[in-house]
Amino acid sequence: MTAKVVEKPQAAVKLTRARRTAILKALADPRRFELLVRIASAPSPLSCAEAGTALPICAATLSHHIKELETAGVISIRRVGKFHYMSLRPGVLEALASSLIALEPNARPGKLSTSPQS
Amino acid sequence: MTAKVVEKPQAAVKLTRARRTAILKALADPRRFELLVRIASAPSPLSCAEAGTALPICAATLSHHIKELETAGVISIRRVGKFHYMSLRPGVLEALASSLIALEPNARPGKLSTSPQS
DNA sequence: TCGACGTTTCGACAACTATCGAATTGATTG
DNA sequence: CAATCAATTCGATAGTTGTCGAAACGTCGA
């Protein structure tokens, strides 16, 4: 188990190899990706149980997957009372996407934009 | 071992869940990613041995990784004589990148910076 | 304080995977 | 043909990981 990723600035620009691998591993499990989709598309942060509804896994497994996502730095968790609210960490997936796009032959050296501020 | 991905059109737009997972799994191994970087940034298709130089793995393992990349549809291989020339399959990484970007909160008007939640 | 509830940790297990050496296939060449 | 070379396949093994049940932890309400 890799150590938890903690970075001050909201990760956006460049990923180390180790970090990139950690994120890819976190995304490479279908349940975890599904979980992430739910978290990302929810209007407000989800609790663990909320995110895991309709996932055919027990609470222990759910907790394990959530920890993997957090350890990889893909989500952040705000712990309030007995609930743990998860939300997508902005910029991380974008950074990964950039490093993928950079491999395509027609790769323009520029960044890609999530939301053209328009 | 998943069945080999065969698709007529050069995959570009949308990925099924299974396909996306397959690609992510293929990329999630650091050696495979390194291999892919070499293949992608080479000016012309590389043979297996060429791609594997300076990778501290034996030929059998190299062959295994290459098969994984091909099975996932990330690279294509042209077999001529005793050499197998590998090249990046265009559009695949781009498609994956798109599906990642789609998870980012695109409608993010005022981006209050992620306060390091603590 | 007691119990219910959300979440995590622990211990175990089965399945998967990265790795290797050895053997094999297939193509080229002496 | 025999040797050589690139690549794959086979069999085995060690390490990783997804999964669960049970237990523990922390919080909240009665």
Side-chain angles (χ1 to χ4, degrees):
Chain A
M1 185 87 59
T2 41
K4 172 166 169 190
V5 170
V6 349
E7 304 239 331
K8 294 272 241 293
Q10 72 275 35
V13 267
K14 196 77 169 70
L15 298 175
T16 66
R17 253 182 303 190
R19 184 115 155 71
R20 187 192 58 210
T21 300
I23 298 172
L24 282 169
K25 272 211 234 285
L27 301 183
D29 181 272
R31 302 221 199 273
R32 249 166 359 227
F33 200 100
E34 176 61 26
L35 213 44
L36 190 66
V37 169
R38 286 162 188 262
I39 294 170
S41 49
S44 64
L46 296 179
S47 71
C48 297
E50 280 173 332
T53 50
L55 264 294
I57 55 177
C58 73
T61 304
L62 178 62
S63 183
H64 162 68
H65 284 318
I66 289 171
K67 183 157 75 172
E68 293 292 309
L69 287 174
E70 191 194 17
T71 298
V74 180
I75 65 173
S76 59
I77 307 187
R78 231 182 92 234
R79 287 151 228 264
V80 35
K82 62 179 171 178
F83 296 96
H84 295 193
Y85 292 108
M86 306 174 293
S87 51
L88 188 69
R89 239 167 112 134
V92 178
L93 295 183
E94 186 190 337
L96 179 61
S98 292
S99 64
L100 295 181
I101 290 292
L103 291 181
E104 292 271 358
N106 51 356
R108 294 165 302 171
K111 314 186 34 171
L112 65 128
S113 60
T114 352
S115 59
Q117 56 284 15
S118 56
Chain B
M1 182 96 56
T2 39
K4 172 164 170 193
V5 171
V6 351
E7 303 238 331
K8 292 268 232 297
Q10 74 274 40
V13 268
K14 196 76 168 70
L15 298 175
T16 67
R17 255 184 302 192
R19 185 115 156 73
R20 187 191 59 209
T21 299
I23 299 172
L24 281 169
K25 272 213 235 283
L27 300 183
D29 181 273
R31 302 222 198 272
R32 265 189 316 252
F33 200 100
E34 176 61 26
L35 213 44
L36 189 67
V37 169
R38 285 162 188 263
I39 294 170
S41 48
S44 64
L46 297 178
S47 71
C48 296
E50 279 174 331
T53 49
L55 263 294
I57 54 178
C58 73
T61 304
L62 178 62
S63 182
H64 160 69
H65 284 318
I66 289 172
K67 182 157 75 171
E68 293 292 309
L69 286 174
E70 191 195 16
T71 299
V74 181
I75 65 173
S76 60
I77 307 187
R78 231 183 91 234
R79 288 151 227 264
V80 35
K82 62 179 170 180
F83 295 96
H84 295 194
Y85 292 107
M86 306 175 293
S87 51
L88 188 69
R89 241 169 112 132
V92 178
L93 295 183
E94 187 190 337
L96 179 60
S98 291
S99 66
L100 295 181
I101 289 294
L103 290 181
E104 292 270 357
N106 39 7
R108 192 170 23 144
K111 49 167 193 163
L112 1 167
S113 57
T114 335
S115 46
Q117 75 295 341
S118 56

